[in-house]
């Protein structure tokens, strides 16, 4: 079981079928990127991502720890819930957020990052035709040339 935060979602390949992923409701609300939101909602429909909210006790525990490490001001409510959810389910966190990683380390939680160290990567989402390779923007569903169903693709861009 893995818990995703916003950076974990945005820096992933958006293929959530490989593992049991969990997110709290607050992450879904925090997600601004339209395409990422579509992919996550699709993952939820397919049962690859499940929504679960942490209990008050683990939220308090995370806040206490974050206060001690000095990370609390840098953590959003959603970030705190991600750590709390991982804490009560002994799950792994997927996040590129340094403050989340720091608090996770103190709480002895496993975590892993999507982006490489020191490099800020961003994905720009669009669609591509699997047959002719033509690129399209998000609103297209089928290829104008050959009629194939378009696939989502992420292009890596540097921030
Ligand atoms: Zn085509």
């Amino acid at each position: 079981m893995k818990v995703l935060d916003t950076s974990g979602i945005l820096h992933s390949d958006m293929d959530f079928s490989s593992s049991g992923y969990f997110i709290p409701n607050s992450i879904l609300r925090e997600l601004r990127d339209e395409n990422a939101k579509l992919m996550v909602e699709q993952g939820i429909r397919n049962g690859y991502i499940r929504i679960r909210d942490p209990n008050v006790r683990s939220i308090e525990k995370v806040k206490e720890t974050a206060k001690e490490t000095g990370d609390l001001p840098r953590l959003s409510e959603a970030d705190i819930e991600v750590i709390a959810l991982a804490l009560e389910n002994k799950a792994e966190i997927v996040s590129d957020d340094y403050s989340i990683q720091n608090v996770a380390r103190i709480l002895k939680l496993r975590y892993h990052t999507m982006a490489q160290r020191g490099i800020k990567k961003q994905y720009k989402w669009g669609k591509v035709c699997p047959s002719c390779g033509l690129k399209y923007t998000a609103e297209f569903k089928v290829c104008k040339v050959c009629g194939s169903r378009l696939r989502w693709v992420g292009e890596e861009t540097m921030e």
Side-chain angles (χ1 to χ4, degrees):
M1 169 174 172
K2 289 173 183 168
V3 185
L4 290 158
D5 85 330
T6 305
S7 68
I9 293 168
L10 293 178
H11 296 161
S12 75
D13 58 3
M14 304 264 176
D15 174 20
F16 303 111
S17 61
S18 58
S19 178
Y21 288 108
F22 285 84
I23 55 169
N25 271 301
S26 49
I27 286 293
L28 203 56
R29 285 197 299 269
E30 197 183 77
L31 206 52
R32 294 271 174 266
D33 186 292
E34 278 306 313
N35 292 332
K37 208 165 189 163
L38 277 174
M39 295 305 283
V40 168
E41 280 164 358
Q42 194 179 319
I44 292 168
R45 271 198 303 277
N46 293 337
Y48 300 145
I49 302 175
R50 268 172 284 175
I51 305 269
R52 196 179 281 180
D53 286 323
N55 63 48
V56 180
R57 242 188 70 227
S58 41
I59 290 175
E60 281 311 311
K61 168 103 175 140
V62 170
K63 280 185 177 169
E64 258 171 51
T65 308
K67 209 180 233 175
E68 284 166 20
T69 61
D71 290 299
L72 193 57
R74 283 186 291 273
L75 292 171
S76 70
E77 210 53 44
D79 293 339
I80 289 165
E81 290 192 7
V82 163
I83 307 170
L85 195 55
L87 181 66
E88 63 186 61
N89 293 288
K90 294 182 172 57
E92 189 180 334
I93 297 173
V94 182
S95 171
D96 290 333
D97 185 299
Y98 181 76
S99 289
I100 290 183
Q101 292 169 16
N102 200 34
V103 175
R105 192 162 40 223
I106 303 294
L107 290 168
K108 296 186 168 59
L109 297 170
R110 285 182 307 147
Y111 60 85
H112 80 256
T113 61
M114 289 290 188
Q116 278 166 23
R117 209 196 179 110
I119 303 169
K120 271 186 149 184
K121 279 191 289 189
Q122 252 193 338
Y123 282 97
K124 199 168 168 277
W125 289 88
K127 286 180 174 175
V128 68
C129 171
S131 310
C132 39
L134 287 172
K135 288 179 178 175
Y136 291 88
T137 46
E139 61 268 27
F140 287 92
K141 285 195 167 66
V142 293
C143 178
K144 282 196 279 192
V145 178
C146 70
S148 300
R149 244 185 100 84
L150 301 177
R151 286 205 323 233
W152 282 100
V153 283
E155 245 175 64
E156 230 170 70
T157 54
M158 294 300 184
E159 235 172 348

